[in-house]
């Protein structure tokens, strides 16, 4: 017998039973985004490798060890996108969406990173991302954060996530801080973990991100980023905080929050939960005013974030926050038993759909006894089953059964059943 071929490790199938949850989350996000006037953009999942190297930074986890990079048949180096920001900037630049205008954009789709698969961490995972361009003032930083807070409210997650907030300052301020940090850490090299030692040479701010307890202990006495901030960044941050305070959005200032990508400046933020173990960040973003220029465009202020869809779904499931109606995908199940019943069931179903297109009607196909069809009707989760036997067909009637047991079985004229269902399906 031939051996089964299995999916690639860390790349998941979303099975039919899970799809409604995905649709619920995506639908809710889309509603919130629409409420703020954001437009969708769709980018390819393959890009030239150079795009990610230049934007994310050569010395980052993503570029150093996580990208799916390969040569295509022409010998070009291509990479499956590990995130969406770089592609979005490329697309906007390429199509002239950036200058003398502002953009508020969102996208969703799979991202690819060769990480060690575990709960909440996969090799193909989905993000919903938001990018804004052309707005330098802190109001837009505040808007994107308020928008995420609104989403948590819609999803019932407000009490389960907390906002971590930081400012990285201007590039110059960060460079001054970097020097001070390097000086401090260089005197304590013997206490640093291996990764941090390497980072110290290549990307010292990332040491702040280390999960190693001994390195974290060393960092307690390290110089603080906020002592090195430039006035403009300080003011930008103060305004952002004032808006968040006035809007009642709570946050924690976390000076160690530096994010894993090189392109951020000024505002950075993460929404984290303590309900998912180590993979606690469900949404992360910030300002990246330098990125467009770094990719060959003209200086363009930008703010964005990305949410991890799988992590949000895990969180909704863990907290049992998925509304019951989300999992109910059928309203009416139509059964037919006897001569001519298959055809009659299909025609009646279609008539109902024609008269009330919002009703979700599934027709039983494939024959079988009355009992087996009723089992299927029950399993479908439908509110009502419609039964067509030979006598109903002869009389132009249909029998309606309330699968939730609320009402007695009754027989209606087929001509009346759509209106009856429209009234009784909730
Ligand atoms: P982490 O610190 O968890 O590795 P990150 O800083 O690499 O996250 P970003 O690049 O900022 O993550 O991506 C934004 C969001 O995408 C994360 O907050 C998370 O919710 C999600 N995410 C990132 N990597 C993965 C992954 N491998 N599997 C599932 N979700 C992921
Ligand atoms: Mg990561």
């Amino acid at each position: 017998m031939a051996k089964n071929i299995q999916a690639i490790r860390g790349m998941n199938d979303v099975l039919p039973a899970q799809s409604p949850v995905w649709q619920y989350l995506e639908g809710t996000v889309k509603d919130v985004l629409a409420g703020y006037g954001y437009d969708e953009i769709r980018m390819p999942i393959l890009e030239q490798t150079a795009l990610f190297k230049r934007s994310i930074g050569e010395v980052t986890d993503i570029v150093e060890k996580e990208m799916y990079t390969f040569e295509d048949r022409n010998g070009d180096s291509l990479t499956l996108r590990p995130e969406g920001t770089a592609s979005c900037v490329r697309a906007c630049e390429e199509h002239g969406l950036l200058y003398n205008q502002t953009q508020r954009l969102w996208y969703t789709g799979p991202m690819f990173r060769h990480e060690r698969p575990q709960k909440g961490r996969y090799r193909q995972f989905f993000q919903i991302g938001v990018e804004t361009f052309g707005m330098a003032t802190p109001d837009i930083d505040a808007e994107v954060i308020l928008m995420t807070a609104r989403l948590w409210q819609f999803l019932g997650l407000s009490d389960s996530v907390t906002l971590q907030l930081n400012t990285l300052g201007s590039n110059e301020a960060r460079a001054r801080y970097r020097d001070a940090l390097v000086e401090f850490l260089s005197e304590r090299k013997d206490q640093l973990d291996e990764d941090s030692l390497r980072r110290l040479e290549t990307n010292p701010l990332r040491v702040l991100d280390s999960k190693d307890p001994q390195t974290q202990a060393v960092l307690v006495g390290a110089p603080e980023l906020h002592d090195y901030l430039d006035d403009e960044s300080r003011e930008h941050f103060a305004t952002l905080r004032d808006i968040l305070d006035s809007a009642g959005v709570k946050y924690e200032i976390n000076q160690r929050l530096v994010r894993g990508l090189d392109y951020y400046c000024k505002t950075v933020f993460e929404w984290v939960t303590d309900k998912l173990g180590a993979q606690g960040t469900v949404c992360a973003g910030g300002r990246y005013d330098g990125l467009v220029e770094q990719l060959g465009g003209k200086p363009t202020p930008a703010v964005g974030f990305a949410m991890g869809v799988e992590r949000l779904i895990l969180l909704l499931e863990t907290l049992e926050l998925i509304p019951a109606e989300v999992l109910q995908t059928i309203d009416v199940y139509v059964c037919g038993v006897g001569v001519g019943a298959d055809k009659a069931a299909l025609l009646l179903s279609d008539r109902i759909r024609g008269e009330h297109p919002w009703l979700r009607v599934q027709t039983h196909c494939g024959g079988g006894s009355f009992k087996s069809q009723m089992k299927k009707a029950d399993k479908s989760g439908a509110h009502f089953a419609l039964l067509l036997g030979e006598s109903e067909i002869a009389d132009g009637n249909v029998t309606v059964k309330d699968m939730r047991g609320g009402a007695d079985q009754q027989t209606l004229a087929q001509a009346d059943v759509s209106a009856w269902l429209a009234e009784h399906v909730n």
Side-chain angles (χ1 to χ4, degrees):
M1 213 166 63
K3 206 166 161 255
N4 284 337
I5 298 172
Q6 301 201 317
I8 297 167
R9 211 163 100 80
M11 304 211 175
N12 301 315
D13 300 303
V14 178
L15 300 177
Q18 302 167 300
S19 294
V21 180
W22 282 67
Q23 288 169 3
Y24 163 63
L25 176 62
E26 288 163 354
T28 309
V29 178
K30 281 178 196 174
D31 288 348
V32 171
L33 289 162
Y36 284 75
Y38 282 62
D39 300 318
E40 185 181 5
I41 180 168
R42 303 188 189 201
M43 298 87 65
I45 58 171
L46 265 184
E47 298 275 0
Q48 296 193 41
T49 303
L51 176 69
F52 301 115
K53 285 199 173 166
R54 239 211 269 175
S55 57
I56 297 168
E58 298 262 6
V59 193
T60 53
D61 281 349
I62 293 179
V63 172
E64 276 184 337
K65 41 190 188 192
E66 296 175 359
M67 293 207 304
Y68 280 91
T69 296
F70 61 94
E71 265 186 23
D72 79 350
R73 287 170 195 276
N74 306 326
D76 297 327
S77 180
L78 305 182
T79 294
L80 279 165
R81 63 179 182 195
E83 53 114 47
T85 304
S87 305
C88 187
V89 169
R90 186 219 25 86
C92 288
E93 171 73 19
E94 202 167 318
H95 300 285
L97 303 184
L98 289 180
Y99 310 122
N100 305 316
Q101 55 193 311
T102 58
Q103 297 289 348
R104 288 174 161 91
L105 304 174
W106 69 273
Y107 51 82
T108 183
M111 307 295 160
F112 302 85
R113 298 184 194 176
H114 197 277
E115 303 197 72
R116 193 171 69 78
Q118 53 197 293
K119 186 180 164 200
R121 192 175 291 289
Y122 312 104
R123 290 181 172 171
Q124 173 179 289
F125 61 98
F126 283 72
Q127 284 185 340
I128 300 173
V130 160
E131 318 290 350
T132 71
F133 298 100
M135 293 160 277
T137 43
D139 47 359
I140 189 69
D141 309 44
E143 178 179 282
V144 299
I145 293 174
L146 291 177
M147 187 163 70
T148 48
R150 175 74 60 207
L151 176 65
W152 312 142
Q153 187 210 347
F154 274 35
L155 293 170
L157 288 174
S158 299
D159 294 335
S160 308
V161 290
T162 53
L163 176 60
Q164 304 257 316
L165 192 63
N166 192 21
T167 177
L168 300 177
S170 64
N171 290 341
E172 300 74 40
R174 217 161 44 255
R176 271 185 280 125
Y177 173 66
R178 191 185 304 124
D179 292 344
L181 185 67
V182 168
E183 196 183 318
F184 174 86
L185 292 175
S186 298
E187 289 161 13
R188 294 159 180 83
K189 274 188 181 165
D190 52 325
Q191 299 166 56
L192 299 180
D193 64 284
E194 207 178 298
D195 262 349
S196 296
L197 268 179
R198 207 161 39 86
R199 299 273 187 237
L200 184 58
E201 306 298 328
T202 51
N203 193 351
L205 251 60
R206 294 291 329 269
V207 177
L208 297 178
D209 223 16
S210 168
K211 306 235 160 46
D212 181 76
Q214 207 188 335
T215 300
Q216 277 299 327
V218 173
L219 286 169
V220 171
E224 303 241 297
L225 175 59
H226 287 200
D227 294 334
Y228 291 78
L229 288 182
D230 52 298
D231 288 345
E232 196 208 321
S233 298
R234 220 184 275 280
E235 215 169 283
H236 187 102
F237 197 50
T239 307
L240 169 62
R241 290 178 58 177
D242 175 56
I243 300 172
L244 295 179
D245 291 339
S246 303
V249 174
K250 295 198 186 63
Y251 53 85
E252 280 167 28
I253 306 277
N254 176 1
Q255 291 201 42
R256 302 267 169 80
L257 183 67
V258 290
R259 310 279 306 114
L261 302 88
D262 270 0
Y263 49 60
Y264 287 106
C265 66
K266 290 184 178 159
T267 312
V268 289
F269 67 92
E270 286 191 2
W271 286 96
V272 290
T273 175
D274 57 8
K275 311 276 190 302
L276 293 181
Q279 272 57 253
T281 304
V282 291
C283 174
R287 181 168 277 279
Y288 52 96
D289 293 345
L291 182 59
V292 175
E293 201 178 4
Q294 207 172 306
L295 288 174
K298 292 185 230 158
T300 305
V303 183
F305 65 79
M307 297 184 267
V309 176
E310 285 87 349
R311 287 188 197 175
L312 281 169
I313 287 176
L314 270 173
L315 186 58
L316 291 171
E317 285 172 347
T318 305
L319 300 172
E320 299 182 5
L321 285 174
I322 296 152
E325 63 266 25
V326 166
L327 300 173
Q328 196 214 327
T329 54
I330 294 170
D331 301 313
V332 183
Y333 194 91
V334 183
C335 307
V337 184
V339 178
D342 296 350
K343 184 167 122 185
L346 279 174
L347 295 181
L348 177 62
S349 301
D350 244 28
R351 173 178 185 165
I352 297 167
R353 296 184 193 107
E355 288 168 355
H356 291 287
W358 57 271
L359 279 170
R360 297 166 303 175
V361 183
Q362 190 164 81
T363 316
H364 179 87
C365 287
S369 65
F370 171 71
K371 204 174 148 200
S372 75
Q373 294 196 27
M374 283 311 293
K375 255 194 197 161
K376 286 250 173 73
D378 188 38
K379 218 174 148 207
S380 77
H383 190 163
F384 295 103
L386 301 187
L387 315 173
L388 287 165
E390 284 174 13
S391 66
E392 279 96 346
I393 295 169
D395 300 340
N397 286 339
V398 59
T399 297
V400 182
K401 190 170 158 49
D402 186 344
M403 302 304 284
R404 297 188 191 153
D408 288 343
Q409 188 166 306
Q410 55 179 313
T411 299
L412 300 175
Q414 287 183 19
D416 298 334
V417 77
S418 302
W420 188 92
L421 287 169
E423 207 173 295
H424 289 82
V425 167
N426 45 29

